[in-house]
Amino acid sequence: MRVGVITFPGSLDDRDAQRAIRLAGAEPVALWHGEHDLKKVDAIVLPGGFSYGDYLRCGAIASHSPIMAEVVDAANKGMPVLGICNGFQMLVEAHLLPGGLIRNDHGRFVRRDQMIRVENNRTDWTNKFDESEEIVIPLKNGEGGYIADKATLDRLEGDGLVTFRYLGVNPNGSLNDIAGISNERGNVVGLMPHPEHAVERGFGPNTADAMRSGIDGLRIFTSMIAKVLA
Amino acid sequence: MSRHVADTVANAAATPEKEQPFAALGLKPDEYARIREILGRRPTSGELAMYSVMWSEHCSYKSSKIYLRQFGQKVTDKMRERLMVGMGENAGVVDIGEGWAVTFKVESHNHPSYIEPFQGAATGVGGIVRDIISMGARPVAVMDQLRFGAIDHPDTARVVHGVVGGISFYGNCLGLPNIGGETVFDAVYQGNPLVNALAVGVLRHEDLHLANASGVGNKVVLFGARTGGDGIGGASILASDSFDSTGPTKRPAVQVGDPFAEKVLIECCLELYAGGLVEGIQDLGAAGISCATSELASNGDGGMFVELDNVLLRDPTLTAEEILMSESQERMMAVVKPEKLEAFLAVVAKWDVETSVLGEVTDTGRLIIHHGGEEIVNVDPRTVAIDGPVYERPVAYPAWIDALQANSASALPRATEGDELREQFLALVASPNLADTSYITDQYDYYVGGNTALAFPDDAGMIRVDEESGLGFAIATDANGRYCQLDPYEGARLALAEAFRNVSMTGAVPAAVTDCLNFGSPENPEVMWQFMRSVEGLGDACMELEIPVTGGNVSFYNQTGDQPIHPTPVVGVLGIIDDVERRVPSAWQDEGNNIYLLGVTRTELDGSAWAGTIHGHLGGRPPQLSLNDEKALAHLVQGAALEGLLMSAHDLSEGGLAQALAESVARFGIGARVWLNDIIERDGMDLTSALFSESTARAIVTVPREDDVKFVGLCEARGYPVLRIGVTDGRDYEATLHVQDVFTVPVAEIRERSNATLPHYFA
Amino acid sequence: MPTIVVEVMPKAELLDPAGKAVAGALARLGHTEFANVRIGKRFELTVEGPITEATLAAARTIAEEMLSNQVIEDVISVHEAPASGASA
Amino acid sequence: MPTIVVEVMPKAELLDPAGKAVAGALARLGHTEFANVRIGKRFELTVEGPITEATLAAARTIAEEMLSNQVIEDVISVHEAPASGASA
Ligand SMILES: Nc1ncnc2c1ncn2[C@@H]1O[C@H](COP(=O)(O)OP(=O)(O)O)[C@@H](O)[C@H]1O
Ligand SMILES: [Mg+2]
């Protein structure tokens, strides 16, 4: 089972995403933004980082990359696609997911071990979680504030498309404490926290158990594997 | 607009009498005279530009060179064992085993960070990272050492916001985990904050690259960002004089950084290295093309020909002199074999990086630069890059130091009552230099890369190098300007000792040193004396600990008006750990462990945080230092870590035992019961000293009960003083720090006090 | 060189925390005359050669498709900069 | 409500990384007609009550001292928005 990780100029967490896929039991496949070739992958991860410096709007320039046309196509055909942080921003810019992501309300970049709740465990990327399960995933962004107009928010809430919600602290001013959302089909998921940084003991977030020991992120990837193999 | 025509070599020869603005460029009359003597004629304006930037204090180390030599001389065979590249290159390279090497260096960007804190700090990170890339390494982490003015001064917030924002922006955007640093507030840095940045890279032994241009006919290629008017005059005017005399320049002195361009440049360089496509490489930093061409040529076959018209410009109005001096960021210069040029250009194009071939390596022994078809530079590159002026500046013992040292903290009143000690304890916890720095560090990503085994607020940052074996390194940096003001020799030794101790606490074995020596004006003989003593102290201490200085940086002219900063020699120590899985964290995570104090406590309050915070006092002599004890402590902790006996290890430094306990309980909310009577009895002192003394070679460690006998046995076998001083106890809401018969403080209160300070001023 | 200016503002009905932060800071400094602040973007596109209807049309397309995100922002103006070039 | 517009651009002689990134993207998408892009900020300050010389003067001060960083940016305009309120 092959999972593509697209590298854009300025991608940072691409190798981390590859490691997470490997630890979850699939084969990571490096994809390059400038090509049109998805190399027969079964699922795609758009990794975190600062593609094109995130200068215009985060993810905006990357969403015009050649490979994004293929990603949109594959997503519309049902392939599991995950956008993490900058990848989430690209999905929004590519209109695969609704709404927008803007500068954190406090104006600063923030890195923290974030508690989130899995609001929807029926997506391709969350089927290994219990409903309403509370997990800890590192978060790091400067522009993670989720916004959308009222109608969109109502639809997201009404249709259960809010996939993850911040608990305890809202780290960036996201409306409705939204940390991640999915499309209706549940194959496309975007979230601001970084599950690929919670896959290996010793390098993950702090938990009540022990420092740097959280591996809740791993199940995002095993969920996708289960879905593809199903 | 008429094109500015550069002064040619022929013109210079024909017009010897022409007056040149050497003084405005920071050159002294005798230096200008020497340039004329070297060339046998007056320099062209382009040559003058090159000599002026390259002979500036910043680039030539003219005031510090005679002292820095010690670092290369005070070495033993053991110190050379792991050293693949020593002082003098862009950064030192240390063999860490299994075919891996690490390169690291700390550098200053102080003056630009006062003028424009955000861009100044950002480009500081960018510059040091390029040093690391130019060694052939992949950068894997950064650290930042910051000194600001008084926390409540109206200008401090401006500088803090900008500097921290700039470091966060540039470092995060490069995808380099920030794993540690220092934050100090002191009025002595008011008009002259210190922004030092450290970068670390890793490489396989065979990937080592050096900055030299060898192989006649090889192409000289400039790639990366276009050259603009950024920071023209920055190198000479900013770094060799204090800011108030910058004088008029029509080009901006600030540089704007583009971390995205640098990130792409990093990946591009690594792909070039992997393809074996470069023979030599040099980053462009201070003095831009002047520096890169003259250094590459000097370190290689000695000759180079450059066509300056081929430099891609962002601003077409730049003159030849300005192109030579421009400090535009995110540029590199490579030496490429002609037959590999095509492959080189293909990689560069893949990354959308702009490139131009400037010229080639020659065997003429001359650096010749053409512009507009005319020869505008014809020099021996060594006279520009290597044989610059060397000064033995006058040194003078500062008369004031005797009075300062005589004014010991021992005369200060000491509390004996629990309530007062409790208040003092909390005052220290909340003091700007000991308070929690999360306001700053929460803006830094330490997750990126997935190899960060330890980061702030642990004693040292630690990175895994090899995923299979777990091989990794740890780095800590330290400098206590207050100690250095009292005694620069001892202060520098103490800085090294503290960094060494911090690294040792993680279980890593110290192996190499980098430093950034921040001082006042070298033209002030008292400052020069402080500098001389600090370098001697650091050199001697490195020799004693048998770890070599592999590189560093000197920053002079750090002063507000005539008032120099405290001598601030920032010292970074790199340690090696065979398997990061065995790392020892510095805080408590479990209840029911025994707490041991290692080392002896003396009444040493001079220069301490207690004296400064409680009494506003600075005087006396810094704590006494035995590097043998430091070594013994390090070996003990490494040994115990290897046997898996330690749950945590935290060194004692600023704020003494009290602060170490506060940090240990606050981190994960684990309380403790502690008793001081055994220390007081054994070491013979009062409560204040037991809590706040800053005696060296001490640490607190926690040990599971079942390992007690083994651990105490280990200490006794090694003859290291050990005392059980408490037990970890209580978590979360119930957690308290209970110092028996003295005071009790809920951990929540410690956290509240410690966490409130920085946000109060900056959030 | 001739320049086209594109102005983009966050949609009025959406949150603009950056603007809100500036408004708050102004109020703290005693500038109570300003009730509200919104922060948008101003692009200058330099054109080689004269500006034609075609270049303006291209700029309009770019403004809608790339320089702004229509979900959260509005393009409020695409126009030729006055020749004086106040903004060099 | 009456609105004052403040326009801030990066200084022409300094690198504008954001503009550079957008220019690069435009070129890759085939929009070669635009040689250069610079990205600045556009502020809308809403004023309660009519705009007077005093409010404009206050806006100018704020523009220089708070809305821009004079070391790297220029305030290129402080003016009253046309009443139509295109930018609502
Ligand atoms: N500016 C900074 N950037 C990154 N880390 C910092 C910074 N300032 C302080 N830290 C971290 O906070 C922790 C405590 O700092 P400090 O008290 O100076 O450590 P120590 O006394 O052990 O040398 C360390 O982990 C240090 O790396
Ligand atoms: Mg420490």
Side-chain angles (χ1 to χ4, degrees), chain B residues 457-460 476 478 498 501-502 505 586 650-653 663:
Chain B
D458 280 299
D459 281 340
D478 280 291
E498 194 182 339
R501 199 185 314 131
N502 276 319
M505 288 303 122
S586 60
H650 191 23
D651 76 307
L652 269 53
S653 56
E663 288 169 358

Side-chain angles (χ1 to χ4, degrees), chain B residues 143-146 178-183 433-434 437 440-441 444 455-461 477-478 498 502 650-651 653-654 663:
Chain B
M143 300 173 89
D144 57 315
Q145 297 71 31
L146 311 178
N178 186 316
I179 57 170
E182 300 166 61
T183 306
N433 294 338
L434 295 180
T437 51
I440 293 174
T441 55
Y444 300 154
F456 43 74
D458 280 299
D459 281 340
T477 70
D478 280 291
E498 194 182 339
N502 276 319
H650 191 23
D651 76 307
S653 56
E654 258 187 295
E663 288 169 358

Side-chain angles (χ1 to χ4, degrees), chain A residues 12, chain B residues 122 125 142 166-178 259 445 448:
Chain A
L12 305 179
Chain B
V125 174
V142 294
I167 291 169
S168 159
F169 167 67
Y170 208 105
N172 293 341
C173 201
L174 283 186
L176 295 179
N178 186 316
D445 178 5
V448 63

Side-chain angles (χ1 to χ4, degrees), chain B residues 115-116 119 225 230 252 254 256-258 261 314 330 352, chain D residues 11-18 20-21 28 69 71-72:
Chain B
I115 298 171
E116 169 38 41
Q119 295 296 344
D230 314 62
V254 294
V256 172
D258 180 356
R314 199 176 76 233
E330 294 99 20
D352 264 328
Chain D
K11 275 190 197 298
E13 63 272 27
L14 288 178
L15 175 71
D16 170 20
K20 192 177 129 194
R28 278 192 302 279
N69 175 352
V71 182
I72 55 174

